[in-house]
Amino acid sequence: MAFVTKTWKDRLVEYAGRRKLKNVATGEEVLMDVSRSEGTVSQAGDAFSAASMNNLEQRIKNEFDTVNSSLGGFTPVIDETGKITGYKTKAGADTVFPFSGGFNGADIYMSGTNSGNLSKTELASKGQYFYGFEYDDSAKKFTVLYDGTYSYMLSTTSSYTSLYINDKLIEYATKNGQTTIYNTIELKKGDTGYISSNNAGQFAQGYLRRIA
C-alpha cells in the first residue's frame, strides 16, 4: 500500500497575538495584543510547524516505500482444506506470515451487466479474488472445490439478481422487495452455480465466501 504525503503549510496572519475581547454585559469590544509571559522555560519543546509536519510525512513515506519494496506483493499459502494459512513474499521462498482468523480461503465475486442470461464476470480474476472455486468463463459458472458453509450476498439495482446452485434457484434479490440479501448455504465439492439477472442488459452482482 502506497503512502500519499500531505504538504502542510504554516498559518500566515498580520497580527499573530492579537485578540478581541468583548464585554458581554455592555457589548463593548477591545483589541488586545497578547504575548507569552511564562517565567523560566525549563524546556522549549518542539514547535508545531509546517516544516516539522512535512518532515514527519516524508519519514513515514520512506518507511512505507522500504517495506513495500522488500515485500513486493503477497502470494497466499492454501492448505488442503482450502484455508489460507499465511502469505509468502519475495523476501524469501520460506517467508510465511501465518494468522488464525480473517479471510479463510474460499471467495468468489461476480458482477456485470447481463448478456443473454448469465451474469458476466468483470471485476474478478482467478488468483486475485477467487479462492476455493474454479470458474468457467464461457459458461459463466463456478465450481466449488471444498465442502463447507458459505455466506453469500445478492444485490440488485433493477429487476432480479438470483443465485443458482446446480441449476436450482436458491434465492433472489429484487428492487420490489429485498434489494440486498445476506444468507448462508451448505455446499459440497463439485457443486456448480452462477449469479444471474433475469433480463439481458440488467445489472447483477453477488459473492460467496466460505466461513466454516
Side-chain angles (χ1 to χ4, degrees):
M1 180 180 69
F3 180 81
V4 179
T5 59
K6 167 186 170 64
T7 300
W8 294 76
K9 297 180 180 180
D10 287 318
R11 178 178 174 84
L12 302 176
V13 297
E14 185 177 3
Y15 304 110
R18 182 161 294 184
R19 299 293 183 267
K20 180 187 291 186
L21 304 181
K22 181 178 181 179
N23 187 317
V24 295
T26 65
E28 180 184 5
E29 294 181 346
V30 180
L31 290 177
M32 296 285 186
D33 285 329
V34 180
S35 60
R36 289 181 174 179
S37 180
E38 300 173 321
T40 301
V41 178
S42 57
Q43 180 171 292
D46 298 313
F48 184 89
S49 68
S52 295
M53 293 305 298
N54 288 328
N55 176 268
L56 176 61
E57 293 272 345
Q58 188 59 50
R59 285 186 286 125
I60 294 173
K61 182 181 185 303
N62 291 344
E63 292 304 315
F64 266 84
D65 291 345
T66 299
V67 172
N68 288 336
S69 176
S70 65
L71 294 180
F74 292 99
T75 300
V77 179
I78 304 175
D79 66 15
E80 66 278 1
T81 69
K83 291 185 178 181
I84 295 180
T85 58
Y87 286 96
K88 289 185 177 181
T89 77
K90 76 172 186 179
D94 297 324
T95 304
V96 179
F97 299 89
F99 56 89
S100 58
F103 182 67
N104 62 10
D107 190 86
I108 189 170
Y109 175 78
M110 291 181 291
S111 170
T113 301
N114 207 345
S115 56
N117 186 40
L118 302 181
S119 176
K120 179 182 177 183
T121 300
E122 293 179 346
L123 300 181
S125 60
K126 190 174 180 181
Q128 182 178 5
Y129 289 99
F130 292 9
Y131 298 102
F133 294 89
E134 290 290 346
Y135 190 77
D136 184 341
D137 191 61
S138 61
K140 308 301 182 189
K141 289 186 177 182
F142 60 81
T143 300
V144 178
L145 299 183
Y146 306 101
D147 296 351
T149 302
Y150 291 74
S151 65
Y152 64 85
M153 180 277 288
L154 302 171
S155 179
T156 185
T157 55
S158 61
S159 192
Y160 293 84
T161 297
S162 306
L163 170 64
Y164 284 82
I165 299 296
N166 299 325
D167 294 318
K168 178 183 177 181
L169 175 63
I170 302 300
E171 194 168 15
Y172 61 85
T174 171
K175 70 173 183 177
N176 296 320
Q178 287 184 274
T179 57
T180 302
I181 289 176
Y182 297 92
N183 212 336
T184 60
I185 188 173
E186 296 294 322
L187 296 177
K188 297 291 186 181
K189 179 179 178 180
D191 285 344
T192 62
Y194 55 87
I195 305 291
S196 74
S197 54
N198 65 321
N199 289 318
Q202 300 294 332
F203 183 77
Q205 68 174 344
Y207 73 74
L208 285 92
R209 173 169 294 172
R210 184 169 178 236
I211 58 176

